[in-house]
Amino acid sequence: MAHSLPFQSLTQVADQLAAGQVSSVELTQAVIDQTQAVEDRVNAFISTDSVDALAQAAAADQRRAVGELLGPLDGVPIALKDVIAVRDQPLTAGSKMLEKFVSPYDATVTTKLKDAGAVLWGRANCDEFAMGSSTENSAFKTTANPYDLSRVPGGSSGGSAAALAAGEAIATLGSDTGGSIRQPAAFCNVVGLKPTYGLISRYGLAAYASSLDQIGSFTRTVEDAAIMLGAIAGHDDRDSTSFKTPIPDYRAALAEKKGPWKLGIPKEYFGEGLDPEVGAAVEKAIAFYREQGCEIKEVSLPHTEYCLSTYYIIATAEASSNLARYDGVRYTHRSADAKTVEDVYFKSRAEGFGAEVKRRIILGTYVLSSGYYDAYYLRAQKVRTLIRQDFLNAYQKVDAVLTPTTPTPAFKIGETADPLAMYLQDIYTVSVNLAGLPGISIPAGFSEAGLPIGLQLIGQPYQEADLLAIANTYDSTHDWNSRLPEL
Amino acid sequence: MSETPELNIDRVAELARIALTPAEKAEYSAQLGEVLKHIEQLKQVDVSGVEPSAHAFAVENVWADDVAQAGLTAEAALQNAPAQRDNMIAVPKVVE
């Protein structure tokens, strides 16, 4: 049974647009209508501009009328996490600090999406400066999980995941520093791809932790993820950490690469704290791959238990440095009480930042401070080397590593108030960022209570074509994504 | 391993240039104390002879040709500054 337009896959709407069965204006209007129908409950967006979106859609239809279609994204409404710059549009990063900020330029991914003809629609809610695992740290609103409105959509890219799950976009972009794409994807029954560090330019992404941050996509299928990745990947002179590598046709690779694969199961990811229903869903997926002729091998990632500590030292250290730029001088918010230059710094930052951002800046400042640097930051960087080596050792034996994405399904809004308990949400995802690897979360079932469960596959550096093909083997033969939220 | 980590919240908040209320100081001290206790576990790892990684991949310095390129106009670059005049950012007086 075909879903209504706002719930169709990117591949499906692209085919209909190309065949002239639907116009971009009709599709965009359908997405706007769906957004208006559900947004009071889901709260996925910080800002929307339907006039601007419909104008982009009309331009796409004009291109189509004269046979100048730009590709599968032409005329497709795509929402962006509100940490990605779109020229002359607001960018809040979920923070009061940037409440009035208007981007003077486009992020490189924005330029690429515009060049591909995408209709940029909606700035998705997120944890403030992408710091959080539930989107509850947004200064503006709390996004609800479309599958259970009393629960979180995950974070920090929770708005991007919820918007897609609720039919408020056909695909969305997010950013992932420690799991911020994969965890909300798992919670909201969508596909979330965090590519290899350096595959996608970070130019125009509001920085959280620069050695870990990576932009990626939320889509309904792995095939859609392949299309999105092809559109946004590639070296950029404006991001000196972006990698010079040929960009293959990821979508074509799905058909070409058939396996069978060697998949590694790290025993450290199946221990204490893993919800039995999540564990059972992942075991079923492992059984599926075995039936497909894949070789399933146990592998060991012995430094797994140190990943979270390493992550919270490195990420907060980098955050304390990156967020020093919000000094009350250049970026929109300055305290009205500031009389001296010291006031400008201390009071503007006190007013502009929320609690979690302050906590992380404080922790990051501490681990970098004189007398503590070697004990915390330098040591964490060394453990990071060991964590990465664990994965490279595993890849001597296997093509990819298979794990749960999260220890539990989505938790209740307001339930996880303790910062350390919230940090433990990221226990299966942070290692991927520390090692710079590509990771994908795909829908893998539902709990008894009707909550989505995600399966994570972790690939080798810059081997997204393989990773997507492995993920597609499961995704193209299961239809979890057809179970829509009841809104 | 056994010593409890000390986070002098007044000093660190000063370094971070954030004015914290007494309530915030008490709350963050307690919460970050718990986080630091967790982080102490890294002392168990034998890192002797291990090179630190600033990035997951060896990132080399990248040079750009020394050629002028079009950038933002002064107006666009300053549009988000909270106070400005004559194409400059205005701040409180810093020297007498």
Side-chain angles (χ1 to χ4, degrees):
Chain A
M1 188 192 79
H3 294 305
S4 64
L5 272 178
F7 288 99
Q8 291 190 12
S9 70
L10 169 55
T11 309
Q12 286 172 322
V13 299
D15 287 349
Q16 291 174 70
L17 285 165
Q21 291 161 337
V22 66
S23 72
S24 175
V25 168
E26 285 166 347
L27 172 63
T28 303
Q29 189 63 56
V31 165
I32 292 169
D33 291 346
Q34 172 67 11
T35 301
Q36 283 168 352
V38 301
E39 186 60 5
D40 63 330
R41 280 158 290 154
V42 178
N43 286 307
F45 290 134
I46 291 178
S47 65
T48 57
D49 188 340
S50 48
V51 173
D52 178 58
L54 287 167
Q56 296 175 62
D61 285 335
Q62 279 187 350
R63 285 192 293 274
R64 200 175 338 273
V66 295
E68 290 174 359
L69 202 68
L70 295 172
L73 296 185
D74 200 348
V76 177
I78 292 175
L80 307 183
K81 183 179 184 181
D82 206 16
V83 289
I84 296 171
V86 180
R87 199 173 118 182
D88 297 332
Q89 292 279 335
L91 184 161
T92 69
S95 180
K96 271 190 183 166
M97 186 64 91
L98 295 178
E99 192 167 8
K100 295 176 188 152
F101 184 87
V102 175
S103 299
Y105 60 86
D106 279 330
T108 296
V109 291
T110 303
T111 304
K112 283 176 175 276
L113 287 179
K114 284 181 174 176
D115 290 348
V119 172
L120 300 182
W121 153 249
R123 300 292 106 76
N125 194 25
C126 56
D127 286 302
E128 185 176 4
F129 289 106
M131 298 181 192
S133 308
S134 68
T135 312
E136 292 168 292
N137 295 334
S138 167
F140 302 109
K141 50 173 64 173
T142 299
T143 300
N145 188 316
Y147 285 88
D148 179 344
L149 296 171
S150 71
R151 291 176 188 269
V152 302
S156 65
S157 311
S160 299
L164 181 63
E168 301 179 67
I170 301 298
T172 63
L173 288 188
S175 64
D176 188 317
T177 305
S180 283
I181 289 174
R182 289 158 288 151
Q183 183 248 23
F187 282 8
C188 294
N189 196 35
V190 295
V191 174
L193 174 65
K194 181 220 105 69
T196 308
Y197 183 82
L199 187 64
I200 294 174
S201 170
R202 293 179 294 109
Y203 179 75
L205 169 70
Y208 161 23
S210 301
S211 81
L212 304 165
D213 294 340
Q214 189 60 196
I215 293 171
S217 64
F218 292 89
T219 54
R220 298 207 161 94
T221 67
V222 170
E223 185 175 14
D224 289 0
I227 296 170
M228 288 291 284
L229 185 62
I232 61 176
H235 173 74
D236 177 14
D237 284 338
R238 288 174 148 153
D239 174 1
S240 59
T241 61
S242 76
F243 192 66
K244 283 184 179 155
T245 182
I247 303 302
D249 183 336
Y250 294 110
R251 192 180 185 183
L254 299 182
E256 291 158 10
K257 292 174 179 277
K258 292 284 182 200
W261 315 96
K262 288 183 202 155
L263 298 180
I265 312 298
K267 57 178 185 288
E268 294 86 356
Y269 285 63
F270 291 82
E272 199 187 335
L274 177 61
D275 177 272
E277 287 187 286
V278 175
V282 174
E283 291 295 341
K284 270 192 186 169
I286 294 170
F288 166 82
Y289 277 109
R290 194 177 275 123
E291 285 161 20
Q292 301 301 305
C294 294
E295 200 178 325
I296 307 295
K297 291 186 168 189
E298 186 175 297
V299 294
S300 180
L301 301 169
H303 295 90
T304 296
E305 65 175 301
Y306 304 113
C307 288
L308 210 59
S309 295
T310 304
Y311 173 79
Y312 275 95
I313 291 172
I314 291 173
T316 60
E318 293 183 11
S320 74
S321 172
N322 271 326
L323 272 65
R325 76 189 66 184
Y326 303 108
D327 54 6
V329 175
R330 293 164 288 167
Y331 292 92
T332 66
H333 181 75
R334 181 181 296 178
S335 172
D337 295 338
K339 303 275 192 301
T340 67
V341 73
E342 285 77 16
D343 285 353
V344 171
Y345 300 150
F346 282 85
K347 290 186 179 175
S348 301
R349 288 162 68 77
E351 293 170 9
F353 291 140
E356 182 60 23
V357 172
K358 287 178 186 170
R359 268 194 295 269
R360 294 200 194 187
I361 290 174
I362 296 284
L363 182 60
T365 303
Y366 175 70
V367 300
L368 288 176
S369 64
S370 175
Y372 299 96
Y373 180 94
D374 286 2
Y376 290 114
Y377 185 63
L378 187 63
R379 175 167 282 264
Q381 286 190 315
K382 289 178 179 177
V383 180
R384 183 178 187 177
T385 304
L386 297 171
I387 291 164
R388 179 160 188 271
Q389 198 57 50
D390 284 352
F391 277 98
L392 297 184
N393 291 343
Y395 290 137
Q396 300 284 325
K397 296 196 289 183
V398 298
D399 300 306
V401 168
L402 187 158
T403 77
T405 307
T406 61
T408 66
F411 47 93
K412 293 255 186 195
I413 292 169
E415 183 181 69
T416 309
D418 171 51
L420 186 58
M422 189 68 90
Y423 297 171
L424 290 166
Q425 276 297 317
D426 301 331
I427 196 151
Y428 302 144
T429 49
V430 292
S431 56
V432 174
N433 302 76
L434 289 167
L437 303 169
I440 189 168
S441 179
I442 57 177
F446 287 83
S447 71
E448 286 282 321
L451 300 173
I453 292 170
L455 169 72
Q456 177 174 239
L457 290 156
I458 306 167
Q460 302 186 35
Y462 301 109
Q463 302 305 314
E464 272 76 1
D466 289 338
L467 178 65
L468 288 165
I470 296 167
N472 194 52
T473 301
Y474 181 93
D475 188 54
S476 63
T477 52
H478 292 75
D479 62 350
W480 303 115
N481 65 1
S482 69
R483 183 160 158 184
L484 303 183
E486 291 166 22
L487 283 164
Chain B
M1 249 324 287
S2 55
E3 84 252 40
T4 316
E6 275 297 314
L7 190 153
N8 181 336
I9 192 81
D10 292 311
R11 176 167 178 270
V12 181
E14 174 83 18
L15 289 172
R17 303 288 186 269
I18 302 177
L20 296 181
T21 64
E24 283 177 319
K25 284 180 187 174
E27 186 188 347
Y28 300 165
S29 289
Q31 289 168 332
L32 292 176
E34 288 302 308
V35 174
L36 284 174
K37 258 189 240 169
H38 187 83
I39 285 173
E40 286 293 294
Q41 61 159 204
L42 287 193
K43 291 188 177 163
Q44 299 161 9
V45 185
D46 179 7
V47 293
S48 50
V50 178
E51 287 293 316
S53 299
H55 274 86
F57 307 108
V59 181
E60 311 228 335
N61 196 16
V62 179
W63 300 93
D65 294 332
D66 188 11
V67 182
Q69 291 180 31
L72 295 179
T73 62
E75 189 190 24
L78 290 173
Q79 73 184 37
N80 288 295
Q84 53 180 289
R85 60 171 185 264
D86 304 330
N87 273 349
M88 292 180 287
I89 294 172
V91 292
K93 200 172 179 181
V94 288
V95 283
E96 291 301 326

